[in-house]
Amino acid sequence: MANIILTIDDMPQNNTVAIIDYLESKGIKPLFFGIGEFLEKLPEPAIYALKKGLIIGNHTYSHVNLAEVSFEEGIEEIEKCERILDDIYKRAGVTREHKLFRFPYLNGGENGERYDSYLREHGFERIDDRSVTDAQYKENGWDREIGVYCSFDCREYLLREGSPMTIGQIYDDIDSVFLPLAGDDTVDHIVLTHSHDLTDENEPLYYEKIVERFLQDKAVFKAPSFRKP
């Protein structure tokens, strides 16, 4: 059975607390990545997450594509989100033990190496991905970088009005990867999902449906662990 490290981007939103409560009922500890401007506007779900023992990483201030802005602008996006995260941890009364970063759109562009050096120099940690064997993950070099990437993207953010994506297609994608791994407990996958109110409006409780499908395919959720670069 494959082991899943569940990561959730773009929090906090109005459905974040419901996601946390559902995952807690299943014994699942996700790794969140927060957007700075959302944290400013809606801090309570983030504080709730921290008090539940969860970790929130940096997903920039405005979810800008760092491949499309200057390196200096990108660093300001990261640092502005860092200041907000530090404040959220303080307000929650929780010590911030781990600093994690995920690129919006999983892309640092031509400045990717410079961002990687910056993250190393400023105390960001790597997720422990030594058991992630996905070929594309390794071909992309994500097993060597500080940023937290993913080896399986649920793409549930495409469950929007007018989009051809269906929950059935997501089930098929999950089955195609995880059913063949049902007897193998040596493989880890870093799974990407999102906390999105708009997705919830179009596919109610999408996060429960996706988790149940993983469980149906005999996947096992594990808490994330980290290591120094």
Side-chain angles (χ1 to χ4, degrees), residues 14-32:
N14 290 319
N15 72 349
T16 299
V17 169
I19 291 173
I20 293 168
D21 289 345
Y22 167 72
L23 294 176
E24 184 178 47
S25 76
K26 295 292 184 177
I28 299 170
K29 283 189 172 293
L31 171 61
F32 280 107

Side-chain angles (χ1 to χ4, degrees), residues 33-58:
F33 288 92
I35 296 174
E37 61 182 346
F38 293 177
L39 291 163
E40 283 183 321
K41 295 174 184 175
L42 197 66
E44 291 80 8
I47 292 170
Y48 184 79
L50 295 178
K51 288 185 174 181
K52 287 287 186 178
L54 303 176
I55 296 168
I56 303 175
N58 185 321

Side-chain angles (χ1 to χ4, degrees), residues 5-20:
I5 303 164
L6 183 63
T7 64
I8 304 177
D9 284 5
D10 299 356
M11 66 91 77
Q13 298 200 22
N14 290 319
N15 72 349
T16 299
V17 169
I19 291 173
I20 293 168

Side-chain angles (χ1 to χ4, degrees), residues 10 55 66 90 137 153 169:
D10 299 356
I55 296 168
L66 297 189
K90 183 177 179 179
Y137 184 86
D153 183 352
Q169 287 176 281

Side-chain angles (χ1 to χ4, degrees), residues 51-189:
K51 288 185 174 181
K52 287 287 186 178
L54 303 176
I55 296 168
I56 303 175
N58 185 321
H59 202 37
T60 73
Y61 178 75
S62 66
H63 203 271
V64 66
N65 188 338
L66 297 189
E68 297 179 354
V69 299
S70 70
F71 179 70
E72 291 73 22
E73 290 172 306
I75 293 302
E76 176 56 29
E77 281 275 334
I78 295 169
E79 292 183 346
K80 192 171 183 180
C81 188
E82 276 298 288
R83 292 190 292 270
I84 295 166
L85 275 173
D86 284 340
D87 181 64
I88 291 288
Y89 270 84
K90 183 177 179 179
R91 292 168 64 181
V94 175
T95 300
R96 191 178 178 196
E97 297 181 354
H98 302 286
K99 291 174 61 175
L100 288 305
F101 177 75
R102 173 171 272 162
F103 285 102
Y105 311 103
L106 303 175
N107 187 6
E110 63 182 15
N111 288 314
E113 291 185 6
R114 294 180 72 188
Y115 285 122
D116 196 63
S117 295
Y118 171 88
L119 295 171
R120 290 175 188 272
E121 292 168 2
H122 287 81
F124 285 81
E125 292 178 86
R126 288 181 48 77
I127 196 167
D128 192 345
D129 59 359
R130 286 173 288 187
S131 295
V132 175
T133 60
D134 180 72
Q136 186 173 359
Y137 184 86
K138 292 182 177 295
E139 287 170 8
N140 288 334
W142 292 346
D143 58 330
R144 301 186 298 274
E145 296 187 19
I146 301 299
V148 178
Y149 293 91
C150 72
S151 58
F152 185 86
D153 183 352
C154 290
R155 300 190 300 155
E156 85 298 332
Y157 53 86
L158 295 174
L159 294 171
R160 304 292 173 89
E161 186 175 353
S163 168
M165 177 64 80
T166 66
I167 193 69
Q169 287 176 281
I170 293 173
Y171 291 160
D172 289 344
D173 290 344
I174 292 171
D175 292 347
S176 68
V177 172
F178 289 90
L179 272 177
L181 297 173
D184 189 347
D185 63 358
T186 66
V187 174
D188 286 357
H189 267 287

